[in-house]
Amino acid sequence: MHNTKTPAWTDRKILSEFMSVDELTELGTGDIAYIKPIKARDLKEMFPDVPPLHDNMTLYALLNADGTPILLADSREAAVANAFEADLLMASLH
């Protein structure tokens, strides 16, 4: 059953009828980004070169539409400012 609150074009299964998996993966890459709060203990996967930090510290990762990390900031405002400077459109995650 399709969620009627979400436009049909956002349904990956429906989109896959019109686009390849590679095209879907690249959708928005380089133009759209999102911010994800992340605990310092979870950073090594995304940012392997990050120095040791207090495990419970919350940082903000600016990520490309495909999930590729762009930068790490100590505040949401700094991440938003960097996205703005890079002319990235911000997507909201719920």
Side-chain angles (χ1 to χ4, degrees), residues 15-26:
L15 277 175
S16 67
E17 294 174 16
F18 304 101
M19 301 174 82
S20 72
V21 172
D22 289 338
E23 289 172 323
L24 281 172
T25 302
E26 293 298 315

Side-chain angles (χ1 to χ4, degrees), residues 57-60 72-79:
M57 182 179 197
T58 300
L59 298 165
Y60 297 86
L72 188 62
D74 61 354
S75 70
R76 187 177 190 292
E77 293 77 17

